Amino acid sequence: GESVGLHLPTLSVQEGDNSIINCAYSNSASDYFIWYKQESGKGPQFIIDIRSNMDKRQGQRVTVLLNKTVKHLSLQIAATQPGDSAVYFCAEKNSGNTPLVFGKGTRLSVIA
Amino acid sequence: DGGITQSPKYLFRKEGQNVTLSCEQNLNHDAMYWYRQDPGQGLRLIYYSQIVNDFQKGDIAEGYSVSREKKESFPLTVTSAQKNPTAFYLCASTIPGRGMDQPQHFGDGTRLSIL
């Protein structure tokens, strides 16, 4: 979910379970959405993207769901592994040459 | 390998000094971006450039300056006017959307600290 104040929300998941990370976006005109993974001390790494003409897109072990009615985006990670432990950010943009707008992130902690 | 290189990894600044953070990409991307990240926070846009010799302010441009003289390079200067410069700085690049948006690719950041 979205963070409040200075503390990132944390999701703790048992290794092997599925993870669901949620993001509420703000701009109803946004038509492109991305999920990034950021490990400590590194730059964000692209995971998966989705355009507003879709409501679901699957990658390797990851699925992104988009609900435009309630402006909600989620990232599902199947069979979560210790290497999935990181901070996950959603980002949105509307059409044209406008920059991405990032959410505040969710920390995923995988319990071995 | 194509990618974005940020240097240095760690940078220290004395109060009152300007410092310049380097960002170089060999991805042939037109657009480049600078973000600031504070602990436990998301990314906030400082400046961006869609094309050589042109750039725009982001949400927190005060106390920063940039130049875009070459397609490959987008250096960020943190000036003495930036009163709280300690942060993790991230550079990104992308091909600007031509009807189909593309994700931004990021460097591994520069951590700036005040001595």
Side-chain angles (χ1 to χ4, degrees):
Chain A
E2 293 296 315
S3 68
V4 176
L6 297 177
H7 301 288
L8 285 175
T10 298
L11 175 67
S12 295
V13 175
Q14 204 73 33
E15 181 180 358
D17 287 352
N18 296 336
S19 304
I20 300 176
I21 302 170
N22 296 305
C23 178
Y25 64 92
S26 55
N27 188 350
S28 57
S30 293
D31 61 2
Y32 180 59
F33 305 88
I34 307 177
W35 280 101
Y36 284 94
K37 172 186 180 183
Q38 187 179 26
E39 296 173 319
S40 181
K42 294 189 174 182
Q45 178 185 5
F46 169 79
I47 303 173
I48 193 167
D49 59 1
I50 188 168
R51 293 178 171 82
S52 59
N53 60 351
M54 303 173 70
D55 52 23
K56 179 179 179 179
R57 191 166 186 223
Q58 289 184 288
Q60 188 175 14
R61 277 203 310 120
V62 295
T63 301
V64 55
L65 298 177
L66 175 63
N67 185 330
K68 296 181 287 294
T69 303
V70 295
K71 293 188 287 186
H72 185 268
L73 192 67
S74 68
L75 177 70
Q76 300 178 0
I77 304 174
T80 313
Q81 302 168 359
D84 295 327
S85 293
V87 176
Y88 289 80
F89 292 98
C90 64
E92 62 180 294
K93 75 183 292 288
N94 52 34
S95 60
N97 291 335
T98 56
L100 289 173
V101 176
F102 284 81
K104 289 185 169 59
T106 296
R107 185 179 305 281
L108 176 65
S109 178
V110 180
I111 305 163
Chain B
D1 270 38
I4 300 176
T5 302
Q6 290 188 242
S7 61
K9 181 75 175 172
Y10 299 96
L11 187 58
F12 300 92
R13 189 190 95 169
K14 293 181 181 178
E15 293 210 25
Q17 274 186 340
N18 294 353
V19 288
T20 298
L21 283 60
S22 170
C23 178
E24 302 279 329
Q25 55 97 1
N26 60 2
L27 299 166
N28 200 32
H29 286 170
D30 290 312
M32 297 185 74
Y33 306 82
W34 274 106
Y35 293 89
R36 170 183 172 135
Q37 187 176 32
D38 293 286
Q41 297 287 300
L43 280 66
R44 292 186 290 167
L45 183 65
I46 305 173
Y47 267 99
Y48 65 105
S49 168
Q50 302 280 17
I51 197 168
V52 173
N53 292 323
D54 188 43
F55 48 83
Q56 288 80 40
K57 292 182 178 180
D59 301 318
I60 55 165
E62 185 174 350
Y64 300 97
S65 66
V66 293
S67 63
R68 187 81 188 279
E69 297 175 3
K70 298 187 299 181
K71 188 175 186 178
E72 302 80 16
S73 178
F74 191 39
L76 173 74
T77 297
V78 184
T79 75
S80 57
Q82 172 49 242
K83 297 307 178 190
N84 184 23
T86 297
F88 190 47
Y89 290 87
L90 287 158
C91 179
S93 71
T94 191
I95 301 170
R98 299 188 194 95
M100 294 289 284
D101 289 297
Q102 299 293 327
Q104 292 180 10
H105 298 265
F106 284 84
D108 273 340
T110 292
R111 190 168 299 279
L112 175 63
S113 302
I114 296 298
L115 290 178

